[in-house]
Amino acid sequence: STQSTGKFCLFDIKPIELARQLTLDAMSIWTTINPREFLYWNTKEQSKKSVRLLIYVENFNYISQWASCYILSGISTRQRGYLIIHVIQIMIESYNMANYHVAIALLACVEGVAVGRLKKSWAVVEEEAKPLLDQVDMLRTKFSSELNWKIYRELIHSQEPPCLPYIGVFLQDITFIDDANPTHITDSHILNWVKCEQFSGCMQEVMKFFNVGYDFKSIPEIMESVFNTKVYQMKDIYQISLSVEPREV
């Protein structure tokens, strides 16, 4: 089956509509994050004081694992190829609406080892939707971690809201700023102003996205169908991948 859970068969839903619903779902988490939570990200209090931020990160991982399970639910090589196409189309639509959170989560799925190794299904993508592969290449370039995510940082810097940022980059920055700079100047209670300024600069990049939402209509049944998909852990997802397309001897 192609995930005919809930009231919909997910494959029948247009990629743009699935992208909209995934966007609204992630937005509902993003808008509840208190910016102060970033202050506690790299501390022992993270689990208590960065709660919504952790949920947003978990949502990223969930979307990536959901997409892998969705693709692997295909009952034949060809069907899995069509599901890869569907996921790529959702990824492109997410990118077009500046939902980089979902776009990068889906890129992590198609680039991941469990889906990436399905050579026979990728051959179907090549045969049926070759131009899409150029789009995947384009997103791979835009979301490359090379040169400390240079292209993505430029994209975010010039991006107008609404936007759902991929925040892994900024959490990495916060950790680096925190680890590299003491909070107080040596043996005193004087605050390290350089650290505060670096932290503030990092926050400026994401703050502009907190107050502007997307004007899409919520269709709860679609997200019900997404959440009804059985989502496995990464190690199990890889085993399923091996079982549907065994290694060539």
Side-chain angles (χ1 to χ4, degrees), residues 91-92 94-101 103-104 107 138-144 147-166 169-170 204-206 208-209:
M91 174 173 74
I92 292 161
S94 300
Y95 169 77
N96 289 341
M97 52 186 75
N99 180 349
Y100 304 134
H101 172 77
I104 294 178
L107 185 64
M138 180 269 290
L139 291 185
R140 195 181 283 130
T141 303
K142 287 203 182 282
F143 298 143
S144 165
L147 298 172
N148 197 14
W149 296 84
K150 183 175 186 287
I151 298 171
Y152 173 67
R153 287 178 189 278
E154 288 166 359
L155 188 65
I156 281 289
H157 187 69
S158 60
Q159 180 66 54
E160 293 297 319
C163 166
L164 273 171
Y166 164 65
V169 177
F170 303 106
Q204 289 301 317
E205 290 296 335
V206 291
K208 62 182 174 180
F209 303 128

Side-chain angles (χ1 to χ4, degrees), residues 38-78:
F38 285 88
L39 288 168
Y40 296 102
W41 181 255
N42 192 39
T43 70
K44 293 188 178 82
E45 296 180 277
Q46 185 203 65
S47 61
K48 289 197 191 86
K49 297 200 169 175
S50 304
V51 176
R52 304 302 296 178
L53 205 45
L54 283 165
I55 292 170
Y56 190 67
V57 171
E58 279 165 20
N59 177 261
F60 176 91
N61 295 331
Y62 177 86
I63 290 165
S64 191
Q65 287 165 239
W66 163 76
S68 299
C69 293
Y70 173 54
I71 289 165
L72 291 168
S73 73
I75 54 173
S76 67
T77 296
R78 182 156 285 276

